[in-house]
């Protein structure tokens, strides 16, 4: 479920300190119900994800087209990413976050962990269109439990980046995120079932 921006901006997340020049594009309530200590499982599930296993063939096709266009036009070339075209956000971290855990590396997605705190995790990606941040957090759900929350923050690369984000906006909201949320829910429930079957 898409949430209002205030669901992210009203909380005292550390990400606010290091992304004042980024725009908040989306905030989503993740279908990951759990207890107060389940955040590490969400992090593991996310870092092991892949666009090729999206449950929607339309979303998989859009991702495939995007990666092919990126290869043709050089949008995702190594010299366009974090540490090349844009400096890593780790350079902006205050000492306590810089010296703390960074978070896991991703198996297949083009993200790099920036920092990991008790109830939030940030990862970044960069290419010729944008410098983007995925911010995951673990929040109370208002019904006695907890769930994940995801915010997407973006710094477009000039006019081209702004046009690119404007163009893909409708596709993201209508064709990508709804099946993505269903996939997250399915994988989360499968993980809960596996945990239950292996519990002593």
């Amino acid at each position: 479920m898409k949430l209002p921006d205030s669901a992210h901006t009203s909380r005292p997340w550390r990400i606010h300190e290091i992304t004042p020049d980024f725009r908040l594009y989306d905030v989503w309530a993740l279908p990951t119900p759990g207890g107060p200590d389940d955040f590490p499982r969400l992090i593991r599930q996310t870092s092991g994800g892949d666009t090729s296993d999206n449950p929607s063939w339309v979303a998989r096709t859009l991702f495939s087209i995007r990666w092919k266009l990126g290869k043709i036009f050089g949008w995702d070339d190594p010299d366009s990413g974090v540490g090349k075209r844009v400096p890593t956000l780790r350079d902006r971290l205050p000492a306590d976050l810089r010296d703390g855990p960074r978070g896991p590396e991703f198996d297949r997605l083009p993200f790099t962990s920036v920092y990991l705190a008790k109830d939030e995790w940030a990862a970044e990606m960069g290419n010729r269109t944008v410098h983007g941040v995925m911010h995951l957090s673990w929040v109370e759900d208002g019904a006695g439990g907890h769930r994940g929350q995801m915010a997407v923050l973006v710094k477009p690369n000039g006019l081209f980046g702004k046009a690119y984000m404007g163009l893909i906006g409708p596709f993201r909201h209508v064709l990508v995120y709804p099946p993505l949320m269903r996939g997250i829910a399915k994988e989360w429930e499968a993980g809960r079932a596996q945990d239950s079957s292996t519990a002593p």
Side-chain angles (χ1 to χ4, degrees):
M1 178 178 65
K2 194 172 186 301
L3 299 173
D5 289 356
S6 59
H8 175 76
T9 58
S10 65
R11 295 180 180 270
W13 303 128
R14 302 297 302 275
I15 193 67
H16 302 320
E17 304 171 37
I18 64 172
T19 56
D21 50 341
F22 281 63
R23 175 185 166 188
L24 177 63
Y25 266 77
D26 302 298
V27 186
W28 297 86
L30 300 182
T32 55
D37 301 321
D38 284 334
F39 190 38
R41 185 156 71 88
L42 176 60
I43 293 172
R44 289 193 301 271
Q45 177 174 315
T46 303
S47 63
D50 187 7
T51 57
S52 65
D53 59 11
N54 191 294
S56 165
W57 71 266
V58 175
R60 292 195 304 273
T61 300
L62 289 173
F63 277 122
S64 178
I65 291 172
R66 167 58 184 86
W67 301 138
K68 288 178 181 177
L69 289 175
K71 188 173 183 179
I72 292 171
F73 295 107
W75 294 345
D76 308 311
D77 288 351
D79 64 349
S80 69
V82 173
K84 299 293 185 178
R85 186 186 71 79
V86 292
T88 175
L89 290 176
R90 286 191 59 80
D91 294 342
R92 302 184 181 187
L93 294 181
D96 65 315
L97 289 180
R98 188 169 57 250
D99 297 336
R102 182 170 184 160
E105 294 307 324
F106 285 75
D107 292 341
R108 291 172 290 276
L109 296 176
F111 283 89
T112 303
S113 287
V114 178
Y115 71 86
L116 174 62
K118 180 179 181 293
D119 54 3
E120 62 177 307
W121 173 46
E124 65 182 334
M125 57 82 66
N127 54 39
R128 295 203 186 282
T129 62
V130 300
H131 186 185
V133 176
M134 175 178 60
H135 180 266
L136 289 187
S137 55
W138 196 244
V139 301
E140 294 183 359
D141 62 7
H146 292 72
R147 60 161 172 77
Q149 183 168 294
M150 180 177 69
V152 178
L153 301 101
V154 176
K155 186 176 182 180
N157 183 17
L159 292 176
F160 172 62
K162 292 178 181 178
Y164 173 84
M165 290 303 299
L167 178 65
I168 69 171
F171 296 100
R172 292 169 64 244
H173 294 143
V174 176
L175 299 176
V176 175
Y177 275 99
L180 176 63
M181 293 299 154
R182 291 194 294 272
I184 290 172
K186 182 177 180 180
E187 187 174 353
W188 185 259
E189 288 303 316
R192 293 181 71 176
Q194 183 177 9
D195 290 346
S196 298
S197 65
T198 57

